[in-house]
Amino acid sequence: MEKFTELGLRGEILKGIQDLGFEVPTPVQEKVIPVILEEENDLVALAQTGTGKTAAFGLPLLQKLDASRKETQVLILSPTRELCVQIGKDLQNYAKYCPEIKVTCVYGGADIRRQIRELEKGVHVLVATPGRLCDLIKRQAVNIDAVKSVVLDEADEMLNMGFKEDLNFILDETPETRNTYLFSATMPREVERIAKNYLHDAKEISTGKKNQGADTVSHEYYMVKAKDCYETLHRIVDCAPDMYAIIFVRTKVDARDITKKLQKDGIDCDALHGDLSQSQRDDVMERFRAKRLKVLVATDVAARGLDVDNLTHVINYNLPEDVESYTHRSGRTGRAGKEGISVAIIHSKEKSKLRRIENIIKKKFQYREVPGGEEVCRAQLLFYADKIMATEPKETMDKFQQELFERFEMLSKEEVIQKVVSFEFGKLLKKYASVEDLNLHEPEGREKREKKGRREEREGREGREGREGREGRRRGERRFDDDEYDYTTFSVNVGREDGFTPRDLMAIINDNSPRKGLQIGSIRIFENNTKFEVDVRGVHGFASCFRNISFNGLPFTLTEVKDRYNRERDGGRSREFGGGRKKSGSGKWRSEKRRNEGSTRGRFGEKKRGVEGGNGRSRKK
């Protein structure tokens, strides 16, 4: 505990963390605690999940509280209910010997009336999800006018979930004199933009390079045909009998389907996705934390905020659409200094995405061959043998011992072992007796050929662009210029988790738009919603494009986002993240934004490769 005392912590706080078994501070705690205790700077802290960030900001903020003032002094924002509850529990444990300090959590999916009653009693530290806190502020059920410190925990996750407008609204409600502490595992441009807009003279602290993966996690990949992905997953799970893992998939449908297949193959697992009620979700997580489930199959949205210790593996059945999300996935293993493995199952067309992830996390993936039948059987048998050797004989067996010995006296030791193994593993041994090789073997010199292919593609593209530009000028065509358009932003209630893509959006409006030649700006696909920009000259009647339309059975709900441009046009004063704006300058910022957000642009009614046609899943009801 001497190390924590040297950081400036004292008294009841030290006693509380001593009960929790804290001995030596983690690197992020060593760097952050003195800054929050002794300085009045805002702070940007970059640290991976599982490195002790909650204690890093929680311990000093609890110590700085004035418990005699019955008002909210610390506001902590987190992206999910689970993380919100976990932070609240941790803070209450830290303040175990400070009973006068009141910590309250507010989040969606719970009775808001009960939360309002808790707030009326007075609270010093408020931990909240952005959506629920916005509701409480609008109901005038919470007062954050006296807040001295605001913590944005997992800031990149909150932005990826589409909370930019909510964060903007909340931060505008807090005093200008507050201190803001931003914690994030990755630093995409949107997080940097928040830091620039809302933090003042911020000190930057990092326990690693930006977006870099944890050193305790090794990264592996298996390359197979798309049709063999499930069989590969099954073998990987069977080949690691002591596995305790999360399997990440892209959509709710995938989560359900893969879970059913794994259960049918005798693997203890369950699914976590957006269609579960809160009670169902709690039940699944209770069984997983108790290790009654070997693996959990989850979508990115459903898994956000999960706090599960000792995971041995993270398996990416699908690589994330947003490659930066991989950092969050892999960061769920290898926590608290323990080693973990992050596995990716890919097909040949996904190698380029794997390379992009490597560039982000600054680590190389190791190629692994899919286990064959002999390898799986050996792993299972040796694990079973180790369990038997580690088992202490029960005294109650003594009374049956003589009868058992007599029953097996005609058999040798080798015969007994063979019979036991055959009885226990007969089906497994039969299944894996002769299985096909699923590997798409990596040829030598792969990286050299990939670089050559990328160079040839780039040179070909530059040549085509040059020819097209010359031909356009010869025909006297006017080149498209972003600077000529004003945009407003719309939001629709389907996203990445539902399998929705920019191509689907463009196809829907191509088929249903009352006006041809409508200009579309950036398209941003989040996990459970999509935001896109439309030329303000075509906004009138635009909502009719989505009337009586469904996607994969989900009816569309379209809303116009009241962004900065709309508010200025309507005479409003509120300032919000993102949204419509009048373009100016060279358009370079726009091209960078499209490249980083996966935006798609096009004019409805025009032929544009990769846009027309969609995938046929949208239909009139």
Side-chain angles (χ1 to χ4, degrees):
M1 295 301 295
E2 292 181 6
K3 289 285 187 180
F4 282 102
T5 305
E6 292 172 5
L7 295 179
L9 297 174
R10 61 178 186 271
E12 291 80 2
I13 301 296
L14 285 173
K15 194 175 179 182
I17 61 176
Q18 187 172 17
D19 287 356
L20 296 172
F22 283 39
E23 295 179 358
V24 179
T26 65
V28 69
Q29 292 164 3
E30 277 189 313
K31 294 180 178 181
V32 168
I33 290 174
V35 173
I36 296 180
L37 279 177
E38 301 168 10
E39 303 179 22
E40 293 302 320
N41 294 82
D42 288 353
L43 176 68
V44 175
L46 185 69
Q48 299 301 316
T49 303
T51 54
K53 287 185 289 183
T54 302
F57 62 74
L59 296 175
L61 289 176
L62 288 171
Q63 182 164 302
K64 291 174 69 174
L65 277 174
D66 182 357
S68 63
R69 295 173 54 195
K70 302 298 181 183
E71 55 192 8
T72 302
Q73 299 168 49
V74 175
L75 172 63
I76 302 170
L77 297 175
S78 69
T80 65
R81 167 194 170 119
E82 283 75 18
L83 185 57
C84 178
V85 171
Q86 185 62 46
I87 292 172
K89 287 180 180 178
D90 288 342
L91 294 177
Q92 288 169 347
N93 289 331
Y94 302 156
K96 178 180 177 180
Y97 296 100
C98 306
E100 69 278 8
I101 294 179
K102 303 300 180 185
V103 180
T104 296
C105 300
V106 295
Y107 44 81
D111 186 356
I112 194 170
R113 292 170 296 181
R114 181 186 61 78
Q115 293 177 349
I116 290 174
R117 289 195 294 271
E118 285 292 318
L119 292 170
E120 288 173 347
K121 296 177 183 178
V123 54
H124 298 102
V125 181
L126 179 60
V127 189
T129 55
R132 177 50 58 93
L133 183 57
C134 284
D135 288 344
L136 291 167
I137 292 173
K138 291 171 183 176
R139 292 176 183 229
Q140 298 184 341
V142 63
N143 188 337
I144 55 175
D145 292 343
V147 165
K148 290 185 174 182
S149 303
V150 175
V151 177
L152 305 179
D153 192 23
E154 303 285 5
D156 50 351
E157 287 285 353
M158 284 192 281
L159 292 172
N160 196 35
M161 293 174 71
F163 284 131
K164 284 189 287 189
E165 288 81 8
D166 289 342
L167 289 175
N168 183 78
F169 175 75
I170 291 166
L171 291 172
D172 279 345
E173 292 291 319
T174 57
E176 288 283 342
T177 55
R178 71 178 186 275
N179 283 122
T180 306
Y181 308 109
L182 188 152
F183 289 78
S184 187
T186 62
M187 283 295 281
R189 282 187 171 84
E190 294 291 353
V191 174
E192 292 178 346
R193 196 169 295 130
I194 283 186
K196 182 177 180 180
N197 290 342
Y198 288 99
L199 276 65
H200 306 288
D201 298 323
K203 185 169 185 176
E204 293 190 14
I205 290 177
S206 176
T207 56
K209 295 180 181 179
K210 288 186 177 182
N211 305 326
Q212 182 169 309
D215 292 333
T216 54
V217 179
S218 58
H219 303 267
E220 303 174 354
Y221 76 101
Y222 299 82
M223 190 166 69
V224 297
K225 295 178 181 177
K227 68 179 182 64
D228 293 327
C229 285
Y230 173 75
E231 178 59 27
T232 301
L233 171 67
H234 187 197
R235 292 193 199 178
I236 293 170
V237 174
D238 273 350
C239 203
D242 59 344
M243 177 181 286
Y244 182 45
I246 296 178
I247 300 170
F248 281 99
V249 296
R250 189 169 296 133
T251 69
K252 293 176 281 189
V253 174
D254 289 338
R256 286 191 291 262
D257 289 348
I258 291 170
T259 299
K260 287 179 181 177
K261 290 179 180 179
L262 289 173
Q263 290 172 342
K264 186 177 179 180
D265 286 327
I267 295 170
D268 294 326
C269 70
D270 212 333
L272 199 68
H273 53 75
D275 285 346
L276 297 182
S277 67
Q278 193 59 51
S279 61
Q280 290 173 321
R281 181 186 177 92
D282 291 342
D283 175 65
V284 170
M285 287 309 304
E286 181 182 350
R287 288 185 286 129
F288 186 57
R289 287 194 175 99
K291 295 192 176 181
R292 296 199 298 273
L293 299 176
K294 177 183 176 76
V295 295
L296 182 69
V297 185
T299 59
D300 283 301
V301 168
R304 285 195 176 122
L306 295 186
D307 187 61
V308 182
D309 294 327
N310 303 317
L311 290 179
T312 60
H313 292 70
V314 165
I315 301 178
N316 297 271
Y317 186 80
N318 305 115
L319 288 175
E321 292 290 341
D322 176 7
V323 291
E324 288 182 345
S325 297
Y326 179 86
T327 305
H328 285 282
R329 290 185 177 186
S330 62
R332 300 192 181 282
T333 186
R335 303 179 71 170
K338 297 180 180 179
E339 294 184 353
I341 301 173
S342 180
V343 175
I345 301 173
I346 69 168
H347 49 83
S348 57
K349 293 182 180 179
E350 291 183 303
K351 286 192 293 184
S352 60
K353 181 178 282 189
L354 204 68
R355 300 285 86 81
R356 294 202 303 273
I357 293 175
E358 286 180 336
N359 291 334
I360 289 174
I361 67 174
K362 311 302 181 189
K363 286 181 172 55
K364 285 287 185 182
F365 280 76
Q366 297 300 314
Y367 173 72
R368 295 283 183 261
E369 291 197 347
V370 180
E374 183 178 333
E375 190 177 349
V376 173
C377 291
R378 181 182 293 110
Q380 289 280 349
L381 291 171
L382 293 179
F383 179 73
Y384 181 61
D386 290 341
K387 285 175 65 178
I388 291 175
M389 292 299 294
T391 302
E392 292 293 332
K394 300 291 189 294
E395 293 181 4
T396 53
M397 291 297 295
D398 292 345
K399 63 182 70 174
F400 310 112
Q401 184 172 292
Q402 188 59 39
E403 289 182 67
L404 288 172
F405 287 166
E406 291 174 358
R407 189 66 61 92
F408 294 116
E409 66 180 353
M410 299 299 293
L411 300 175
S412 66
K413 179 179 69 175
E414 290 77 11
E415 289 174 326
V416 171
I417 293 174
Q418 286 177 346
K419 286 182 178 292
V420 170
V421 169
S422 295
F423 177 79
E424 188 70 26
F425 291 99
K427 290 183 179 179
L428 179 74
L429 294 171
K430 183 178 180 180
K431 174 183 176 181
Y432 284 112
S434 57
V435 293
E436 63 178 313
D437 182 2
L438 302 180
N439 295 286
L440 292 178
H441 295 280
E442 286 278 77
E444 294 183 5
R446 167 177 57 86
E447 291 188 3
K448 184 176 181 180
R449 273 190 291 276
E450 283 184 359
K451 288 181 180 179
K452 180 181 178 181
R454 287 195 294 269
R455 184 175 65 252
E456 290 175 351
E457 181 183 352
R458 183 171 62 253
E459 290 172 354
R461 184 170 61 249
E462 290 171 352
R464 288 194 302 273
E465 290 173 351
R467 288 194 300 273
E468 290 169 359
R470 288 191 296 272
E471 290 172 2
R473 286 191 292 273
R474 281 198 298 268
R475 291 193 302 266
E477 292 179 349
R478 180 170 56 88
R479 197 180 71 180
F480 170 77
D481 190 348
D482 254 353
D483 299 353
E484 300 172 3
Y485 295 94
D486 298 335
Y487 293 102
T488 190
T489 304
F490 284 88
S491 176
V492 67
N493 63 318
V494 292
R496 191 179 301 137
E497 192 180 68
D498 306 295
F500 196 61
T501 66
R503 180 173 179 169
D504 296 323
L505 177 66
M506 300 292 279
I508 288 167
I509 308 179
N510 272 333
D511 293 339
N512 300 283
S513 176
R515 173 185 170 186
K516 301 302 179 184
L518 180 62
Q519 181 63 37
I520 297 300
S522 70
I523 299 174
R524 292 167 289 167
I525 306 285
F526 300 104
E527 292 296 339
N528 50 20
N529 68 82
T530 297
K531 293 184 179 178
F532 58 95
E533 296 174 331
V534 179
D535 180 3
V536 294
R537 289 170 290 187
V539 167
H540 181 69
F542 178 74
S544 63
C545 297
F546 292 84
R547 198 163 294 149
N548 300 323
I549 298 290
S550 64
F551 180 79
N552 284 342
L554 182 67
F556 279 112
T557 301
L558 182 74
T559 55
E560 185 176 358
V561 178
K562 281 297 181 182
D563 50 48
R564 180 167 63 245
Y565 174 75
N566 290 345
R567 291 181 183 275
E568 290 173 356
R569 182 183 62 188
D570 296 338
R573 299 177 182 175
S574 178
R575 181 166 56 92
E576 304 209 359
F577 292 110
R581 53 201 165 271
K582 184 159 184 169
K583 294 299 299 172
S584 60
S586 66
K588 180 180 179 183
W589 178 87
R590 166 70 69 186
S591 64
E592 290 178 352
K593 181 179 177 68
R594 287 201 302 274
R595 184 164 62 248
N596 284 284
E597 295 180 342
S599 301
T600 301
R601 178 181 297 279
R603 291 176 184 262
F604 295 128
E606 295 182 358
K607 294 293 183 182
K608 194 171 183 68
R609 186 168 55 186
V611 174
E612 295 289 343
N615 59 11
R617 288 182 290 185
S618 61
R619 57 182 178 81
K620 286 278 184 180
K621 287 197 292 185

